[in-house]
Amino acid sequence: MRQSQLFTKTRKEAPANEVSKNAILLIRAGYIHKEMAGVYSYLPLGLRVLKKIEDIIRNEMNTIGGIEMRTSIIQTKEVWEKSNRWDDNIVDNWFKTELKNGTEIGLSFTNEEAYSSMLTQYIHSYTDLPIYPYDFKNIFRNETRSKSGIMRGREFYWKALYSFSKDDAEHQEFYEKAKQAYKNIFQNVGIGHITYMTFASGGSFSKFSHEFQTITEAGEDTIYIDEAKGIAINKEVYTDEVIESLGLNKDKIIEQKAVEVGNIFSLGTKFSEPFNLSFTNESGEKQLVTMGSYGIGLGRLMGTIAEVLSDDKGLIWPTSVSPFSLHLIVLGKDKEGDTYKKAEEIYNELTKKGIEVLFDDRDESAGAKFADSDLIGIPMRVVVSDKSIAAGGVEIKERKGDKSEIITIEELYKTYKPNCE
Ligand code: ATP
Ligand code: MG
């Protein structure tokens, strides 16, 4: 992509009413646009990051047997009355509206009901189980506080997978696989080293649920970490009894602020019961389906990465989720000159090889281009200038470090291969 054609521009200031670091950086760098508190649009750069995250999650979900689909956002009142979650006194974050004929409808704030209701039409026999459908979709919640940028949206994009198993044993087997898939996901998006599987309250069907909590001052949760074991306990269930039951050493536990980037939950028959989601087992008896839920907020995850992997100059994306692999910058005044021609050639060649390049071909000063590049945060910068050409090639520099070096154009082509190779 040519930066001259990217309509978004970097900004020196974020909107005056924006208080969260992730939103300030992402707005200034042109990744998101603020519609109102808790509601953001994803601009071209932001969408590229979101899609990278989506692909990483999809890959892990498919590996453990997930089947992607898409449930509707508009949902009927009747479905939610079955699980007793339509009433505003029970769920207070509903966005509801009505059809022209007065029929009440809601915008989905979660998916258990949609799946449980729908699957009664497809699950009949033990041979139909287990199944693991999931979707990526926008979720709507009328959150009371929305001051954390894209980490807490009123409209947000998530992945939710639901497991439908014959019994507890089958459920547990998948649950363990999901834990590992989640660990892989947070590792692959670059925050594995500061993300902990955290024991949290489990509702009525299991003692604990598992949250994946990333350490950040911007988080709203408090967790207690045992570094040696690599696990944590959420404040809500942090008691001497729990510490002991998990075999943790109380003296070594440290308190941290963290954000829940994902969670996995055993649901038992909480939803299969009201929806009568059952199957005929091998003995010919009716049996309720055992369910689990597995969520990740993609916007929250992107906001968390922005929050924790950034410095005073701007964003620093891990390669795996960066909108582009390389930021190619050409310097000089003469658009018809050899240096520009060389940069064009490099851009075309890399693009032809399938490498994602953002090419800063704008008529701006070196200082302005470098400042923008630091703000946008692509992990590797490649500068083509009269000076670099005279020195034998291009100047490369990692966003993370201070050191730069000159390499030949051939070396550049050899080093950068498309992701799929
Ligand atoms: P929280 O306690 O932070 O409100 P939650 O328990 O309501 O989260 P779930 O309903 O389990 O979250 O949703 C699954 C995942 O969706 C969460 O782990 C989180 O990553 C994400 N998520 C939840 N609420 C929001 C939101 N308002 N904005 C962005 N992501 C969210
Ligand atoms: Mg919530």
Side-chain angles (χ1 to χ4, degrees):
M1 185 187 284
R2 289 171 185 277
Q3 221 166 320
S4 58
Q5 283 165 17
L6 186 65
F7 66 86
T8 60
K9 303 278 177 275
T10 59
R11 298 163 51 161
K12 288 237 171 347
E13 306 288 340
N17 58 3
E18 187 58 74
V19 293
S20 100
K21 178 175 154 193
N22 68 81
I24 289 172
L25 283 172
L26 292 166
I27 291 171
R28 287 190 47 218
Y31 284 78
I32 59 171
H33 170 79
K34 185 173 190 170
E35 214 49 56
M36 54 179 272
V39 183
Y40 298 86
S41 295
Y42 286 76
L43 297 167
L45 288 178
L47 184 61
R48 291 180 80 101
V49 176
L50 201 67
K51 284 187 166 172
K52 292 268 164 78
I53 296 174
E54 184 178 308
D55 283 343
I56 288 171
I57 297 175
R58 176 180 292 115
N59 184 32
E60 290 295 330
M61 291 302 100
N62 290 349
T63 301
I64 57 171
I67 315 172
E68 187 172 357
M69 53 173 288
R70 175 97 26 117
T71 51
S72 69
I73 285 166
I74 294 182
Q75 301 190 336
T76 68
K77 173 183 171 180
E78 287 71 30
V79 163
W80 291 84
E81 277 176 341
K82 283 206 174 148
S83 59
N84 199 24
R85 292 212 280 185
W86 178 258
D87 192 332
D88 289 341
N89 296 313
I90 291 166
V91 173
D92 64 0
N93 64 9
W94 265 113
F95 280 109
K96 293 175 182 169
T97 180
E98 53 185 45
L99 301 180
K100 295 263 188 239
N101 67 9
T103 307
E104 286 182 281
I105 54 169
L107 304 184
S108 71
F109 71 89
T110 184
N111 276 12
E112 287 89 352
E113 280 78 354
Y115 275 105
S116 306
S117 159
M118 171 176 47
L119 286 173
T120 55
Q121 296 189 23
Y122 304 101
I123 295 174
H124 305 293
S125 148
Y126 67 94
T127 56
D128 298 329
L129 294 170
I131 52 167
Y132 312 113
Y134 73 96
D135 59 356
F136 291 97
K137 83 188 233 193
N138 274 6
I139 285 290
F140 296 83
R141 291 184 188 173
N142 203 343
E143 304 271 6
T144 33
R145 283 173 312 133
S146 214
K147 291 189 176 162
S148 304
I150 57 170
M151 291 165 75
R152 184 172 292 287
R154 294 195 162 100
E155 172 182 346
F156 62 94
Y157 192 57
W158 85 355
K159 182 278 302 177
L161 181 146
Y162 295 91
S163 63
F164 299 85
S165 306
K166 292 192 274 293
D167 51 33
D168 273 347
E170 192 172 74
H171 165 73
Q172 209 51 47
E173 197 183 316
F174 181 78
Y175 195 83
E176 292 306 316
K177 284 190 200 163
K179 275 185 192 166
Q180 187 56 50
Y182 269 52
K183 286 179 190 164
N184 297 346
I185 289 166
F186 299 120
Q187 194 67 44
N188 291 344
V189 300
I191 55 170
H193 60 297
I194 44 170
T195 302
Y196 291 85
M197 191 173 82
T198 304
F199 290 78
S201 70
S204 43
F205 282 89
S206 65
K207 185 148 189 220
F208 298 112
S209 68
H210 295 91
E211 295 172 344
F212 290 79
Q213 294 270 3
T214 306
I215 297 173
T216 165
E217 273 306 309
E220 295 173 15
D221 291 348
T222 301
I223 62 167
Y224 295 87
I225 303 169
D226 183 319
E227 284 278 2
K229 294 242 160 141
I231 55 176
I233 307 175
N234 193 308
K235 191 176 187 173
E236 63 185 20
V237 296
Y238 186 67
T239 61
D240 286 340
E241 193 199 325
V242 171
I243 297 166
E244 203 172 308
S245 75
L246 296 174
L248 307 186
N249 180 352
K250 193 169 183 184
D251 302 333
K252 295 260 168 73
I253 287 175
I254 46 169
E255 183 186 299
Q256 291 280 11
K257 297 271 280 171
V259 60
E260 177 198 312
V261 284
N263 63 12
I264 63 176
F265 237 93
S266 293
L267 296 170
T269 55
K270 182 175 172 187
F271 292 93
S272 51
E273 208 172 292
F275 286 92
N276 193 21
L277 180 61
S278 59
F279 64 100
T280 310
N281 67 20
E282 288 183 71
S283 324
E285 295 153 355
K286 277 244 175 274
Q287 195 175 316
L288 289 172
V289 171
T290 299
M291 286 174 58
S293 83
Y294 312 80
I296 296 181
L298 280 76
R300 182 174 291 185
L301 188 48
M302 176 171 158
T304 303
I305 298 168
E307 196 83 34
V308 297
L309 303 180
S310 49
D311 61 16
D312 51 2
K313 293 185 193 143
L315 298 154
I316 308 177
W317 297 109
T319 311
S320 60
V321 301
S322 176
F324 294 93
S325 305
L326 293 179
H327 201 170
L328 178 67
I329 296 173
V330 57
L331 302 181
K333 284 262 164 279
D334 182 10
K335 284 225 156 196
E336 307 304 322
D338 286 348
T339 301
Y340 259 84
K341 280 204 189 105
K342 202 80 215 159
E344 285 281 341
E345 205 180 290
I346 294 171
Y347 174 62
N348 289 331
E349 184 62 26
L350 289 172
T351 305
K352 214 164 68 195
K353 283 173 53 161
I355 294 160
E356 295 171 304
V357 182
L358 181 62
F359 179 27
D360 192 349
D361 58 342
R362 299 170 307 161
D363 214 351
E364 293 283 352
S365 72
K369 287 187 172 189
F370 291 157
D372 278 358
S373 181
D374 283 341
L375 181 57
I376 291 170
I378 295 165
M380 189 61 85
R381 186 177 88 183
V382 179
V383 177
V384 186
S385 62
D386 295 348
K387 214 171 91 194
S388 81
I389 299 223
V394 296
E395 185 197 74
I396 59 162
K397 180 183 164 298
E398 268 190 69
R399 171 64 179 84
K400 279 203 292 263
D402 300 320
K403 271 213 289 277
S404 62
E405 62 170 319
I406 299 282
I407 61 169
T408 65
I409 294 170
E410 286 67 39
E411 278 175 294
L412 178 72
Y413 292 161
K414 254 194 279 168
T415 313
Y416 286 95
K417 301 212 165 76
N419 285 339
C420 55
E421 267 182 29

